[in-house]
Structure formats: C-alpha cells, structure tokens
Amino acid sequence: MVNSSASPDDAGVAIAAARAGADVVRSMYGQRLARIDKGAGDFATAADVEAEKAILGVIRAARPDDAVLGEEGGQQGAADAARRWLVDPLCGTLNYAVGNMLVAVNVALRNGAAAVADPFSGEIFFTDGETAWVRHDGVDAQLAPTPATQLVDVNLDPPFPSAPGFRAVDLLAHPGFVARFRPRVVSTTLALAWVAAGRRAAYVTDGSDLSRSVHFAAGIAVCRAAGCVVTGIDGAPIGPAGRGLVVAADSDTHGLLMSMIRS
C-alpha cells in the first residue's frame, strides 16, 4: 500500500477524468431523467451526457491536442490522431435509470493509461499501461487477480454476433460451468475491473472487436496490466478480427472456460 499523489502523466489525466465523470453520475443519481432514445432498446440519459462533458473538460484542459471518441458525443479531433481517448461516461445506463448502482465510468487512452471509476464505492481502478492499481480514499493498492471466488460474470445483453456458434446463455447451462463456477450478471463493464481486483474469476461476453470499444477499452487495459489472461471467445488475441471477450484471473480458469465454449 502506498499513499497516492496527483501527477500530470496520462494515468493522472485518466484518473481525474474518470473521477469527474463519476462525480456527475453520483450527483444525478435518483433524479427523474429524460431518456434519449438510441434505438434497439438502448438509450442515454442526461447523466450520461453531463458526465461525458465533465470528462472531456478534464481531457481537453490536460491534453488539448488529443482526439476523443465519446459514447455520447462521438469522434472529436483528427480521425488519424496518434493519441485518442475512449470515453464511456456511464456504463450501465439501464441499471442506473432504474435505481441500480452497478455502473462504471470508463476512460482510456488507446494503447496507454486507463481508469475505471465506481461512482458509488469511490474506487478508481487504473493503469499507467504497465501496472494496475485501485485507489480508494487516497490510497493505492496494486491489483492482484485470483480465481478464488469462482464467480464469473457473463454478459447476456444483445447483440449476439457469434450465434449460433456461441451463445452466452448456453455457457451457463454447461455441466462443467455449473460444477466449477457460479454465474453473475451485473450488466456493466465494472465487472472487468473486478476480475483484475480478484473479486471475479472471469468475465465473458460476445461481440466483435472490443479492443477499440468505449465500453471495454479501459477495463481491458486494467486487466492486462494486472496480469489477467485476455482473449476473444475463440481464444485468439482481441483486435480488428476479434470475437467477443474472455478475461480470466489465471490461465487455468481461462483454459476451463475456453474448453466449455469450444464444446
């Protein structure tokens, strides 16, 4: 455990931005918020929009030349910028809108620092791109993944691009899964940070290329820096040709899940 202090590096920017977004999310919690329809059952709220504004304010002040891709505001800055921040101001909007506190604020510099904030616990999971930590009450503790809980979060939200070859719901019914793990469904990428912190044994979701996703980039970065095993649902590295995501606390857990998915 070490006492933390502010610094002007990219990790410091990511932490400050995630904290700014988390402050907004927490302050607006419980209010009656109008919904902004995105189609296919998805929507944003005023909290999503205001949190993203707060995050962008921090990034622009600290890194004015960097590009940003925001969940709500889209692309800002040069499309071919070498430095691009990926921002998801409120991951778990459906939870938040019905008074559920399971949400995350995600800020990631592509191929660099990242931070995942829990607005209600006050924790910020972050990485400088090399090591991963959790900050709480001004104190940092290095993240140490472990499969000890045997809890596996499985994302059941659509779309399901890998069906019928892979359906997350089928994994839950696999005899091997039932014998070894206990499923959890929290519907927010905060669960990725929990794998890095040893609170979950693994996380599984369908999808296409999630490495550039505003929803997943920060959590993936934290998990990688913590030493988790990170692949697609086909066992291949995540990237432009990737399929979904399997993040496990260790290689044994990852291997077990992959054997179930392949069968």
Side-chain angles (χ1 to χ4, degrees):
M1 307 281 282
V2 296
N3 288 325
S4 60
S5 59
S7 64
D9 60 5
D10 288 333
V13 174
I15 292 167
R19 179 180 289 119
D23 287 345
V24 172
V25 169
R26 186 172 56 255
S27 69
M28 297 183 72
Y29 178 75
Q31 298 180 22
R32 182 181 292 275
L33 301 173
R35 298 188 179 190
I36 305 164
D37 183 38
K38 294 184 175 182
D42 193 15
F43 62 88
T45 70
D48 299 70
V49 175
E50 293 304 315
E52 183 164 303
K53 288 179 181 177
I55 292 168
L56 295 185
V58 172
I59 295 174
R60 286 170 178 154
R63 299 289 187 269
D65 297 327
D66 290 0
V68 177
L69 176 61
E71 166 72 2
E72 308 308 329
Q75 175 69 38
Q76 301 183 41
D80 59 350
R83 290 170 54 91
R84 178 177 288 105
W85 293 86
L86 305 175
V87 173
D88 182 0
L90 178 49
C91 185
T93 300
L94 277 70
N95 289 345
Y96 186 81
V98 297
N100 188 318
M101 293 182 178
L102 288 174
V103 301
V105 176
N106 297 314
V107 179
L109 176 63
R110 189 174 173 189
N111 300 321
V116 178
D118 181 338
F120 298 103
S121 74
E123 294 175 309
I124 300 181
F125 305 86
F126 68 95
T127 177
D128 57 4
E130 297 181 1
T131 56
W133 305 78
V134 59
R135 177 170 297 177
H136 188 57
D137 290 337
V139 177
D140 295 351
Q142 191 165 358
L143 295 178
T146 170
T149 67
Q150 297 186 332
L151 301 177
V152 176
D153 264 299
V154 181
N155 181 16
L156 300 180
D157 287 340
F160 309 116
S162 299
F166 170 78
R167 290 188 179 93
V169 67
D170 293 336
L171 176 63
L172 302 183
H174 191 288
F177 188 96
V178 174
R180 178 64 183 268
F181 301 112
R182 290 294 179 269
R184 292 293 181 271
V185 181
V186 299
S187 298
T188 169
T189 54
L190 182 61
L192 277 172
W194 289 347
V195 178
R199 302 173 193 175
R200 293 289 191 269
Y203 176 90
V204 181
T205 184
D206 197 358
S208 51
D209 176 16
L210 301 183
S211 65
R212 304 182 186 186
S213 166
V214 295
H215 306 291
F216 291 92
I220 289 172
V222 169
C223 286
R224 280 177 163 166
C228 300
V229 181
V230 180
T231 72
I233 58 172
D234 54 0
I238 60 173
R243 293 176 53 223
L245 187 65
V246 178
V247 176
D250 65 351
S251 57
D252 287 344
T253 301
H254 183 269
L256 277 171
L257 288 170
M258 289 308 307
S259 68
M260 298 173 199
I261 290 171
R262 287 168 175 153
S263 66

